[in-house]
Structure formats: structure tokens, C-alpha cells
């Protein structure tokens, strides 16, 4: 998803509001000290009647997700989910998850991480993973400072959630620290087998000379009480010392068989012991599926468009995969983690 301009996920407007057609949706922009450019984001939330109907994420490749722009926030107190997208993605590629959780009774806020999105991808800056945690911290600060949101936030139920590199962001906010030397060693050994390591090498990103202090520091946010990481990636080589200060409520979701999913590799190089983090952590493996099954549902022509453009095969799921069913399963798992009713 890093080369094709058409994958800059759009918002399509469809005229008059429908009172029961999707959760509320609104956009925001934040100025932050750790980026030279503003951080753009969106909020999905339980909503009453009103708002302008739109399809979040609709384009030539993906089917959009219904929502209602600027609908009235329903009265109540809701858990918050801080949502982080993968490398080269955008928050709207996870609109199915955001909308699904909002419809179950959560406020979901996500951002487009600068230097790490479809049309703004700088691999050298993208690997500075701590800036992503700071992006979500700024988004949470925004929620807790705006009267519109503050009165509706249940501050005892704040979750960090993410997919792929966003899964690492969520785990980082939940207390997992980085191991720069381990990541560099992994990519040096598996540069020909791992597409991310290969892309980093082609971009002349030398993982051995990154800022070790920042890479290995803790970015745990004490306000975050739970973590949900969907096929997390971009931080292999972790050791037991990297998981000594974790929140108590962590859910790891792996997509695909052991040979396909990232979860096996996250906590060490392939064939190493992946159980460093596993004690007391909930795990769910979903098959058939693969890494990109976590993106929006594709249109019938989506795979052909991507192939023609030479982009990643994000629409190619294993035989027998029902992407919509996988999405619903993930929404149900995370909703249960948050204590939301069916």
C-alpha cells in the first residue's frame, strides 16, 4: 500500500443523513511539537440521529464503511480506543474496526501518522516508532481537553489498538519497549526473506545507527489500561527485559497459519521462542486469513487494479477467507475486551 496513489483512502459523501446508518464521524487536525507537519485524525463515536451520510474509505479498490459526519454524540460515558494504522496505510483503512467498535459503544480516535502513510512515506523517519506513540498521546490529550468529548469519556477504559506497525505502537503504549540491536540483527540476517527489511535496505536505512536511547525507551502511557494488537510487526528481536512493565489487559490477534502470520516473529526471530510476552496475555489466531485481511473489504476489481499498478497484493486472501467475517470476529474480540455488550 505504499506506491499506489489511488489507495489514499477517501471519504465519499452520499447526500442526506440516515439516522441509523453508521456511527458518528468527524475529523480533526493537531499541531504537535514532534512533527513539522500537523497530525490529521478522525473520531468515530456512538451517535443519535442526524449527520451527513458518507462512506469512509470508499475508492476504486476498497468498499467504504458507512458513517455520519458530525452526527450528535449520544449521551453516555464510553471507553476510548486509540487506533494506529500500519506502515504505508492510513487510519481509514481500519474504518471497519473503528465503526464496528463505535456501534458497540466506544469512542474511537485515530490519526494518520506523519512519514508513515500512503502518500507520506519516509522510511527513515517512519522507523522512529516513538513518534507514533506521541501521535496517539496527543490525540488522547485532545479528547480529554475538549468539553465535547471529555464528559463522555470513561477514563478507566482507555485502550491502545493497532494493526501491523500500529500493533507495535499499541504495545509500546502498553509498556513493551524496543530492542534496537535485536531489530537490526534480524533485518541483517533476513533482509532477503522479509519485505520490510528489504524495503529499509533499499531506502538505505541503517538500523544499526538509529537513536538507541529513543528506540529502547519506554513509551508506556499510564492512562492506557488495555492493548489490542492485530498481527503486530516491525519490532522483532525482543527480549524478556522488554516486557517487564506491561498493562494487565493485552490481546494479541494473529492472522493466518504459523508460516504466514507476523505474531510468530514479533517476539524474536523465526524459530525462536515466541512466548516472551505470552504469560497472562490473551491470544487469538484467525484462519484462514493473512496479514492484509485486516484492511478494508476489497471490491471485485480491487485485486486487478493493484496488480496492474504493481502494488502490494492487499486484496489477495487465502482460499476460503471471508474478510467480512474476520473483521466481525476482531470487532467482537476487542469489544469483549472492553466490556461492551453484544
Amino acid at each position: 500500500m505504499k506506491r499506489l496513489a489511488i489507495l489514499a483512502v477517501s471519504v465519499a459523501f452520499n447526500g442526506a443523513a440516515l439516522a441509523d446508518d453508521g456511527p458518528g464521524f468527524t475529523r480533526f487536525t493537531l499541531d504537535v511539537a514532534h512533527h513539522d507537519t500537523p497530525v490529521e485524525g478522525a473520531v468515530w463515536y456512538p451517535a443519535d440521529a442526524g449527520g451527513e451520510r458518507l462512506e469512509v474509505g470508499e475508492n476504486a479498490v476498497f468498499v467504504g464503511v458507512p458513517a455520519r459526519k458530525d452526527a450528535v454524540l449520544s449521551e453516555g460515558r464510553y471507553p476510548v480506543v486509540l487506533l494506529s494504522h500500519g506502515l504505508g496505510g492510513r487510519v481509514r483503512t481500519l474504518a471497519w474496526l473503528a465503526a464496528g467498535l463505535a456501534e458497540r459503544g466506544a469512542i474511537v480516535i485515530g490519526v494518520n501518522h506523519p512519514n508513515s502513510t500512503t502518500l507520506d512515506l519516509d522510511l527513515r523517519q517512519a522507523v522512529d516508532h516513538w513518534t507514533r506513540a506521541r501521535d496517539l498521546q496527543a490525540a488522547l490529550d485532545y479528547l480529554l481537553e475538549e468539553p465535547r468529548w471529555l464528559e463522555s469519556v470513561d477514563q478507566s477504559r482507555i485502550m491502545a489498538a493497532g494493526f501491523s506497525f500500529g500493533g507495535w505502537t499499541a504495545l509500546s503504549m502498553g509498556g513493551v519497549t524496543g530492542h534496537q540491536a535485536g531489530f537490526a540483527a534480524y533485518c541483517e540476517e533476513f533482509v532477503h526473506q522479509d519485505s520490510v527489511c528489504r524495503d529499509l535496505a533499499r531506502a538505505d536505512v541503517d538500523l544499526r545507527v538509529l537513536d538507541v536511547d529513543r528506540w529502547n525507551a519506554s513509551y508506556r502511557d499510564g492512562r492506557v489500561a488495555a492493548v489490542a494488537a492485530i498481527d503486530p510487526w516491525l519490532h522483532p528481536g525482543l527480549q524478556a527485559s522488554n516486557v517487564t512493565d506491561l498493562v494487565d489487559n493485552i490481546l494479541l490477534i494473529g492472522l493466518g497459519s504459523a508460516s504466514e502470520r507476523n505474531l510468530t516473529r514479533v517476539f524474536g526471530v523465526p524459530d525462536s521462542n515466541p512466548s516472551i510476552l505470552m504469560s497472562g496475555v490473551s491470544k487469538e489466531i484467525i484462519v484462514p486469513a493473512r496479514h492484509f485481511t485486516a484492511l478494508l473489504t476489497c471490491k471485485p476489481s480491487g485485486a486487478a487494479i493493484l496488480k496492474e499498478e504493481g502494488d502490494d497484493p492487499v486484496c489477495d486472501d487465502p482460499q476460503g477467507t471471508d474478510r467480512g467475517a474476520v473483521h466481525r470476529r476482531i470487532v467482537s474480540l476487542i469489544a469483549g475486551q472492553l466490556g461492551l455488550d453484544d
Side-chain angles (χ1 to χ4, degrees), residues 84-87 113 116 129-136 165-166 169:
S84 180
H85 64 76
L87 182 67
H113 297 290
S116 188
H129 65 86
W130 55 90
T131 64
R132 291 171 140 256
R134 290 175 177 171
D135 294 342
L136 290 188
F165 197 13
T169 304

Side-chain angles (χ1 to χ4, degrees), residues 114-338:
N115 306 311
S116 188
T117 72
T118 311
L119 297 180
D120 174 24
L121 182 60
D122 182 330
L123 287 177
R124 171 57 194 86
Q125 296 189 69
V127 295
D128 292 344
H129 65 86
W130 55 90
T131 64
R132 291 171 140 256
R134 290 175 177 171
D135 294 342
L136 290 188
Q137 288 170 340
L140 180 56
D141 291 341
Y142 159 74
L143 274 186
L144 299 182
E145 291 169 0
E146 288 287 328
R148 173 187 180 186
W149 304 111
L150 175 59
E151 295 179 358
S152 298
V153 171
D154 180 351
Q155 296 190 47
S156 70
R157 289 191 293 166
I158 296 176
M159 167 187 283
F163 160 66
S164 194
F165 197 13
W168 167 221
T169 304
L171 288 165
S172 177
M173 297 189 76
V176 180
T177 59
H179 184 211
Q180 180 263 350
F183 189 17
Y186 170 85
C187 273
E188 185 174 350
E189 183 174 357
F190 295 98
V191 64
H192 299 298
Q193 295 98 317
D194 189 287
S195 61
V196 173
C197 295
R198 187 164 56 248
D199 288 343
L200 290 171
R202 288 172 176 170
D204 293 324
V205 178
D206 188 347
L207 299 175
R208 298 169 299 179
V209 299
L210 299 180
D211 189 324
V212 176
D213 290 339
R214 285 188 171 181
W215 185 278
N216 294 350
S218 173
Y219 298 97
R220 178 171 177 176
D221 189 313
R223 298 170 295 183
V224 171
V227 170
I230 304 166
D231 227 30
W233 188 224
L234 242 75
H235 56 301
L238 296 186
Q239 300 178 341
S241 59
N242 298 119
V243 294
T244 59
D245 184 31
L246 305 183
V247 297
D248 294 331
N249 188 350
I250 294 180
L251 171 65
L252 298 176
I253 299 174
L255 300 177
S257 63
S259 62
E260 298 171 314
R261 65 179 181 267
N262 285 333
L263 190 56
T264 303
R265 298 180 293 174
V266 163
F267 305 109
V269 298
D271 300 322
S272 69
N273 181 3
S275 64
I276 291 173
L277 184 59
M278 298 309 178
S279 178
V281 173
S282 298
K283 303 176 293 295
E284 181 80 8
I285 306 302
I286 300 177
V287 292
R290 65 187 292 257
H291 190 59
F292 291 128
T293 305
L295 300 183
L296 286 163
T297 299
C298 294
K299 293 182 176 179
S301 60
I305 292 173
L306 294 173
K307 184 175 182 179
E308 181 179 351
E309 295 293 334
D311 209 319
D312 295 331
V314 302
C315 291
D316 296 347
D317 292 321
Q319 185 174 1
T321 302
D322 182 336
R323 189 171 287 202
V326 172
H327 291 175
R328 290 189 294 273
R329 178 59 180 158
I330 294 173
V331 169
S332 179
L333 287 167
I334 297 176
Q337 188 185 7
L338 284 167

Side-chain angles (χ1 to χ4, degrees), residues 57-76:
E58 178 80 18
N59 61 24
V61 172
F62 292 127
V63 177
V65 177
R68 289 175 291 126
K69 182 177 180 290
D70 296 329
V72 176
L73 175 65
S74 298
E75 185 175 350

